[in-house]
Protein backbone atom coordinates (compact mmCIF):
# COMPACT_ATOMS: atom_id res chain seq x y z
CA UNK A 1 0.00 0.00 0.00
CA UNK A 2 2.84 2.47 0.82
CA UNK A 3 5.47 1.37 -1.70
CA UNK A 4 7.71 4.29 -2.67
CA UNK A 5 6.62 6.39 0.29
CA UNK A 6 8.59 7.61 3.29
CA UNK A 7 7.13 7.54 6.80
CA UNK A 8 8.61 9.31 9.83
CA UNK A 9 7.76 7.63 13.14
CA UNK A 10 8.83 9.32 16.40
CA UNK A 11 9.18 7.27 19.57
CA UNK A 12 10.27 4.32 17.41
CA UNK A 13 12.30 2.80 20.25
CA UNK A 14 9.18 2.61 22.43
CA UNK A 15 6.40 0.05 22.72
CA UNK A 16 3.77 1.61 20.44
CA UNK A 17 6.35 3.15 18.08
CA UNK A 18 7.86 -0.29 17.39
CA UNK A 19 4.48 -1.72 16.37
CA UNK A 20 3.76 1.32 14.17
CA UNK A 21 7.12 0.98 12.38
CA UNK A 22 6.45 -2.71 11.77
CA UNK A 23 2.97 -2.25 10.26
CA UNK A 24 4.11 0.57 7.95
CA UNK A 25 7.17 -1.37 6.76
CA UNK A 26 5.05 -4.50 6.19
CA UNK A 27 2.86 -2.34 3.95
CA UNK A 28 5.83 -1.17 1.88
CA UNK A 29 6.82 2.20 3.38
CA UNK A 30 10.40 3.20 4.02
CA UNK A 31 10.38 4.21 7.70
CA UNK A 32 12.61 6.79 9.34
CA UNK A 33 12.80 5.55 12.93
CA UNK A 34 13.26 8.63 15.12
CA UNK A 35 13.95 8.50 18.84
CA UNK A 36 16.12 10.06 21.52
CA UNK A 37 17.57 6.61 22.16
CA UNK A 38 18.63 3.91 19.70
CA UNK A 39 15.94 2.17 17.61
CA UNK A 40 18.30 -0.76 16.94
CA UNK A 41 16.16 -3.17 19.00
CA UNK A 42 13.03 -2.11 17.06
CA UNK A 43 14.77 -2.69 13.73
CA UNK A 44 16.20 -6.03 14.89
CA UNK A 45 12.82 -7.30 16.12
CA UNK A 46 11.27 -6.44 12.74
CA UNK A 47 14.08 -7.95 10.65
CA UNK A 48 13.83 -11.08 12.86
CA UNK A 49 10.27 -11.35 11.47
CA UNK A 50 11.76 -11.65 7.98
CA UNK A 51 11.52 -8.02 6.82
CA UNK A 52 14.46 -6.37 5.07
CA UNK A 53 16.39 -3.83 7.17
CA UNK A 54 16.80 -1.69 4.02
CA UNK A 55 13.27 -0.34 4.62
CA UNK A 56 14.25 1.24 7.95
CA UNK A 57 16.73 3.99 8.82
CA UNK A 58 17.52 5.02 12.34
CA UNK A 59 17.88 8.66 13.47
CA UNK A 60 18.76 9.53 17.07
CA UNK A 61 17.30 13.01 17.51
CA UNK A 62 15.81 15.16 20.27
CA UNK A 63 12.56 16.25 18.62
CA UNK A 64 12.05 19.15 21.03
CA UNK A 65 14.75 21.12 19.15
CA UNK A 66 13.45 23.06 16.13
CA UNK A 67 16.80 23.09 14.32
CA UNK A 68 17.24 19.33 14.86
CA UNK A 69 13.75 18.68 13.47
CA UNK A 70 14.36 20.87 10.40
CA UNK A 71 17.70 19.13 9.72
CA UNK A 72 16.10 15.70 10.30
CA UNK A 73 13.35 16.23 7.73
CA UNK A 74 15.83 17.30 5.02
CA UNK A 75 18.29 14.52 5.95
CA UNK A 76 15.51 11.91 5.53
CA UNK A 77 14.81 13.27 2.04
CA UNK A 78 18.52 13.07 1.17
CA UNK A 79 18.78 9.50 2.50
CA UNK A 80 15.58 8.06 1.02
CA UNK A 81 15.23 10.21 -2.12
CA UNK A 82 11.58 10.96 -1.28
CA UNK A 83 9.98 13.55 0.94
CA UNK A 84 8.13 12.41 4.06
CA UNK A 85 4.43 11.97 3.34
CA UNK A 86 3.43 9.94 6.41
CA UNK A 87 4.18 11.33 9.88
CA UNK A 88 3.33 9.52 13.10
CA UNK A 89 3.89 11.66 16.18
CA UNK A 90 4.22 8.91 18.78
CA UNK A 91 7.09 9.98 21.10
CA UNK A 92 5.89 10.98 24.54
CA UNK A 93 6.94 11.21 28.17
CA UNK A 94 5.30 11.38 31.59
CA UNK A 95 6.54 13.36 34.62
CA UNK A 96 3.70 12.72 37.06
CA UNK A 97 3.11 14.51 40.34
CA UNK A 98 0.38 16.10 42.38
CA UNK A 99 -0.58 19.49 40.99
CA UNK A 100 0.54 21.33 44.13
CA UNK A 101 3.96 19.68 44.05
CA UNK A 102 4.71 19.63 40.32
CA UNK A 103 7.96 21.32 39.28
CA UNK A 104 7.75 23.85 36.48
CA UNK A 105 10.53 21.91 34.73
CA UNK A 106 8.37 18.74 34.71
CA UNK A 107 5.44 20.70 33.31
CA UNK A 108 7.59 22.24 30.57
CA UNK A 109 9.32 18.96 29.66
CA UNK A 110 6.00 17.18 29.09
CA UNK A 111 4.50 20.07 27.11
CA UNK A 112 7.67 20.40 24.99
CA UNK A 113 7.92 16.70 24.14
CA UNK A 114 4.24 15.79 23.86
CA UNK A 115 2.82 18.93 22.26
CA UNK A 116 5.44 21.33 20.91
CA UNK A 117 7.57 18.65 19.21
CA UNK A 118 4.61 17.25 17.20
CA UNK A 119 3.90 20.85 16.09
CA UNK A 120 7.53 21.31 14.96
CA UNK A 121 7.47 18.01 13.05
CA UNK A 122 4.08 18.72 11.44
CA UNK A 123 5.31 22.13 10.34
CA UNK A 124 8.60 20.84 8.87
CA UNK A 125 6.98 17.90 7.07
CA UNK A 126 4.08 20.00 5.75
CA UNK A 127 6.46 22.71 4.46
CA UNK A 128 8.46 20.13 2.51
CA UNK A 129 5.31 18.43 1.17
CA UNK A 130 3.68 21.70 0.07
CA UNK A 131 6.81 23.12 -1.58
CA UNK A 132 7.36 19.92 -3.59
CA UNK A 133 3.71 19.87 -4.63
CA UNK A 134 4.09 23.45 -5.93
CA UNK A 135 7.20 22.46 -7.88
CA UNK A 136 5.46 19.33 -9.22
CA UNK A 137 8.24 17.15 -7.76
CA UNK A 138 6.07 14.60 -5.98
CA UNK A 139 5.80 10.99 -7.07
CA UNK A 140 2.45 9.99 -8.58
CA UNK A 141 1.79 7.88 -5.42
CA UNK A 142 2.22 10.92 -3.15
CA UNK A 143 0.18 13.29 -5.26
CA UNK A 144 -2.69 10.81 -5.71
CA UNK A 145 -3.04 9.72 -2.08
CA UNK A 146 -1.69 12.84 -0.33
CA UNK A 147 0.01 13.16 3.02
CA UNK A 148 -1.19 11.77 6.32
CA UNK A 149 -0.28 12.78 9.86
CA UNK A 150 -1.36 10.77 12.90
CA UNK A 151 -0.92 12.22 16.37
CA UNK A 152 -0.83 9.69 19.19
CA UNK A 153 -2.61 11.49 22.02
CA UNK A 154 -4.21 9.68 24.99
CA UNK A 155 -7.64 9.03 26.46
CA UNK A 156 -6.27 11.03 29.43
CA UNK A 157 -6.46 14.11 27.15
CA UNK A 158 -10.24 13.61 27.15
CA UNK A 159 -10.90 12.82 30.81
CA UNK A 160 -7.84 13.98 32.81
CA UNK A 161 -6.10 11.89 35.46
CA UNK A 162 -4.79 12.18 39.00
CA UNK A 163 -1.21 13.47 39.08
CA UNK A 164 -1.11 14.21 35.35
CA UNK A 165 -1.97 17.90 34.87
CA UNK A 166 1.01 18.29 32.53
CA UNK A 167 0.32 15.10 30.53
CA UNK A 168 -3.45 15.70 30.28
CA UNK A 169 -2.87 19.31 29.17
CA UNK A 170 -0.44 18.21 26.45
CA UNK A 171 -2.64 15.35 25.20
CA UNK A 172 -5.80 17.53 25.19
CA UNK A 173 -3.78 20.17 23.33
CA UNK A 174 -2.87 17.55 20.76
CA UNK A 175 -6.57 17.00 20.00
CA UNK A 176 -7.08 20.72 19.37
CA UNK A 177 -3.87 20.92 17.34
CA UNK A 178 -5.02 17.97 15.20
CA UNK A 179 -8.30 19.66 14.33
CA UNK A 180 -6.69 23.05 13.59
CA UNK A 181 -3.90 21.56 11.48
CA UNK A 182 -6.41 19.34 9.63
CA UNK A 183 -8.23 22.55 8.64
CA UNK A 184 -4.99 24.32 7.59
CA UNK A 185 -3.61 21.40 5.61
CA UNK A 186 -6.67 19.87 3.90
CA UNK A 187 -6.32 22.24 0.94
CA UNK A 188 -2.75 20.97 0.49
CA UNK A 189 -3.80 17.32 0.38
CA UNK A 190 -2.60 16.44 3.88
CA UNK A 191 -4.94 14.72 6.36
CA UNK A 192 -4.36 15.00 10.12
CA UNK A 193 -5.98 12.70 12.68
CA UNK A 194 -5.43 11.67 16.26
CA UNK A 195 -5.65 8.41 18.17
CA UNK A 196 -6.48 8.27 21.87
CA UNK A 197 -5.04 5.02 23.21
CA UNK A 198 -6.37 3.69 26.49
CA UNK A 199 -4.07 1.53 28.60
CA UNK A 200 -1.65 -0.33 26.35
CA UNK A 201 0.93 -2.91 27.46
CA UNK A 202 4.22 -1.04 26.95
CA UNK A 203 7.11 0.10 29.17
CA UNK A 204 5.10 3.32 29.80
CA UNK A 205 2.18 1.32 31.23
CA UNK A 206 4.58 -0.97 33.13
CA UNK A 207 5.69 2.11 35.08
CA UNK A 208 2.16 2.32 36.57
CA UNK A 209 1.92 0.55 39.96
CA UNK A 210 0.16 -2.87 39.74
CA UNK A 211 -2.54 -1.77 42.23
CA UNK A 212 -3.57 1.10 39.93
CA UNK A 213 -3.35 -1.11 36.82
CA UNK A 214 -5.67 -3.67 38.42
CA UNK A 215 -8.19 -0.91 39.25
CA UNK A 216 -7.96 0.32 35.65
CA UNK A 217 -8.52 -3.20 34.28
CA UNK A 218 -11.74 -3.34 36.28
CA UNK A 219 -12.90 -0.09 34.65
CA UNK A 220 -12.24 -1.24 31.08
CA UNK A 221 -15.49 -2.63 29.64
CA UNK A 222 -13.53 -5.18 27.60
CA UNK A 223 -11.63 -6.17 30.76
CA UNK A 224 -8.01 -6.15 29.55
CA UNK A 225 -5.20 -3.83 28.43
CA UNK A 226 -4.58 -3.26 24.73
CA UNK A 227 -1.54 -4.30 22.70
CA UNK A 228 0.70 -1.85 20.78
CA UNK A 229 -0.52 -3.59 17.60
CA UNK A 230 -4.08 -2.36 18.30
CA UNK A 231 -2.80 1.21 17.98
CA UNK A 232 -0.70 0.35 14.92
CA UNK A 233 -3.84 -1.00 13.17
CA UNK A 234 -5.52 2.38 13.79
CA UNK A 235 -2.53 4.16 12.25
CA UNK A 236 -2.71 1.88 9.21
CA UNK A 237 -6.41 2.67 8.75
CA UNK A 238 -5.87 6.43 9.06
CA UNK A 239 -2.84 6.51 6.73
CA UNK A 240 -4.10 4.05 4.17
CA UNK A 241 -6.68 3.98 1.41
CA UNK A 242 -9.52 3.15 3.84
CA UNK A 243 -8.98 6.46 5.61
CA UNK A 244 -8.70 8.65 2.51
CA UNK A 245 -11.78 10.76 3.41
CA UNK A 246 -10.98 10.97 7.14
CA UNK A 247 -9.42 14.12 8.58
CA UNK A 248 -9.61 15.99 11.88
CA UNK A 249 -10.96 12.86 13.54
CA UNK A 250 -10.36 11.45 17.02
CA UNK A 251 -10.16 7.66 17.15
CA UNK A 252 -10.45 6.11 20.63
CA UNK A 253 -8.74 2.72 20.96
CA UNK A 254 -9.43 1.94 24.59
CA UNK A 255 -11.44 -1.27 25.00
CA UNK A 256 -14.33 1.06 25.81
CA UNK A 257 -12.61 2.89 28.69
CA UNK A 258 -14.10 6.38 29.29
CA UNK A 259 -16.30 6.14 26.18
P1 LIG B 1 7.38 4.48 25.45
O1 LIG B 1 7.88 5.15 26.67
O2 LIG B 1 7.54 2.99 25.31
O3 LIG B 1 7.98 5.19 24.15
C1 LIG B 1 8.12 6.58 24.02
C2 LIG B 1 9.37 6.85 23.21
O4 LIG B 1 9.48 8.28 23.00
C3 LIG B 1 10.66 6.41 23.93
O5 LIG B 1 11.37 5.49 23.13
C4 LIG B 1 11.43 7.70 24.13
O6 LIG B 1 12.83 7.57 24.04
C5 LIG B 1 10.87 8.58 23.01
N1 LIG B 1 11.11 10.00 23.30
C6 LIG B 1 10.85 10.65 24.47
N2 LIG B 1 11.28 11.92 24.38
C7 LIG B 1 11.80 12.10 23.14
C8 LIG B 1 12.43 13.19 22.47
N3 LIG B 1 12.59 14.39 23.06
N4 LIG B 1 12.89 13.01 21.21
C9 LIG B 1 12.75 11.79 20.59
N5 LIG B 1 12.16 10.72 21.19
C10 LIG B 1 11.70 10.86 22.46
O7 LIG B 1 5.84 4.89 25.34
P2 LIG B 1 4.62 4.15 24.59
O8 LIG B 1 3.83 3.45 25.61
O9 LIG B 1 5.11 3.45 23.38
O10 LIG B 1 3.78 5.44 24.17
C11 LIG B 1 3.84 6.03 22.88
C12 LIG B 1 2.85 7.18 22.82
O11 LIG B 1 1.55 6.71 23.14
C13 LIG B 1 3.16 8.29 23.82
O12 LIG B 1 2.94 9.53 23.22
C14 LIG B 1 2.17 8.04 24.94
O13 LIG B 1 1.85 9.23 25.63
C15 LIG B 1 0.99 7.50 24.17
N6 LIG B 1 0.11 6.67 25.02
C16 LIG B 1 0.55 5.50 25.57
C17 LIG B 1 -0.31 4.75 26.37
C18 LIG B 1 0.10 3.44 27.01
O14 LIG B 1 -0.70 2.87 27.77
N7 LIG B 1 1.28 2.94 26.73
C19 LIG B 1 -1.62 5.20 26.59
C20 LIG B 1 -2.03 6.39 26.01
C21 LIG B 1 -1.14 7.11 25.21
Amino acid sequence: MFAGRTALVTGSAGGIGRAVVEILVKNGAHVACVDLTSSAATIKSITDNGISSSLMTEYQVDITSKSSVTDLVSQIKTDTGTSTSLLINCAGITRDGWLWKMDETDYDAVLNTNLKAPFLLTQAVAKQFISEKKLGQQSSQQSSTGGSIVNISSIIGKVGNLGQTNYAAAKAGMIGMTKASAKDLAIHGIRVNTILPGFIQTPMAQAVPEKILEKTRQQIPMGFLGDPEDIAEGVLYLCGRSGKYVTGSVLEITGGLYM
Side-chain angles (χ1 to χ4, degrees):
M1 182 163 23
F2 304 126
R5 300 188 64 180
T6 297
L8 190 169
V9 178
T10 70
S12 51
I16 295 175
R18 196 212 64 79
V20 170
V21 172
E22 179 157 10
I23 211 161
L24 294 177
V25 169
K26 274 187 176 159
N27 281 276
H30 185 112
V31 180
C33 302
V34 177
D35 204 291
L36 203 52
T37 62
S38 169
S39 297
T42 291
I43 295 176
K44 182 171 183 318
S45 76
I46 297 171
T47 50
D48 285 350
N49 288 342
I51 292 162
S52 163
S53 63
S54 65
L55 286 172
M56 291 167 277
T57 314
E58 180 187 354
Y59 301 87
Q60 247 179 280
V61 173
D62 179 358
I63 55 164
T64 61
S65 149
K66 182 176 165 117
S67 59
S68 303
V69 165
T70 309
D71 292 349
L72 168 73
V73 171
S74 20
Q75 188 61 48
I76 293 171
K77 164 112 202 260
T78 307
D79 294 346
T80 63
T82 13
S83 59
T84 300
S85 59
L86 306 170
L87 166 65
I88 320 302
N89 283 310
C90 185
I93 58 169
T94 51
R95 296 280 186 277
D96 298 352
W98 296 114
L99 169 69
W100 56 90
K101 283 187 184 167
M102 187 174 284
D103 274 349
E104 188 181 350
T105 49
D106 286 339
Y107 185 86
D108 289 344
V110 170
L111 267 288
N112 279 334
T113 306
N114 296 7
L115 187 59
K116 186 177 160 196
F119 163 74
L120 295 174
L121 280 146
T122 299
Q123 190 180 50
V125 166
K127 265 189 190 170
Q128 190 182 62
F129 192 89
I130 294 165
S131 71
E132 292 195 359
K133 195 172 161 206
K134 279 190 186 141
L135 295 169
Q137 284 177 349
Q138 284 177 347
S139 68
S140 56
Q141 247 276 29
Q142 275 172 210
S143 38
S144 66
T145 50
S148 178
I149 297 171
V150 181
N151 293 320
I152 308 297
S153 172
S154 168
I155 196 66
I156 300 306
K158 178 179 159 183
V159 297
N161 201 19
L162 286 174
Q164 291 200 309
T165 43
N166 49 3
Y167 186 78
K171 294 301 191 179
M174 210 177 205
I175 299 171
M177 189 173 75
T178 298
K179 294 180 186 220
S181 42
K183 288 186 178 183
D184 275 359
L185 296 175
I187 193 169
H188 298 293
I190 304 173
R191 296 177 300 104
V192 191
N193 292 287
T194 186
I195 292 178
L196 311 190
F199 280 85
I200 309 297
Q201 316 229 39
T202 69
M204 189 180 265
Q206 277 155 21
V208 179
E210 182 48 41
K211 233 167 75 182
I212 295 178
L213 270 188
E214 187 43 44
K215 259 194 171 164
T216 310
R217 245 180 242 120
Q218 288 165 11
Q219 289 177 350
I220 301 172
M222 290 180 74
F224 54 91
L225 269 60
D227 294 321
E229 288 70 21
D230 296 323
I231 307 304
E233 290 289 348
V235 169
L236 182 67
Y237 162 69
L238 290 170
C239 288
R241 271 186 298 271
S242 312
K244 72 180 179 33
Y245 196 53
V246 183
T247 197
S249 78
V250 180
L251 175 59
E252 296 183 15
I253 305 182
T254 61
L257 182 70
Y258 307 135
M259 65 178 83

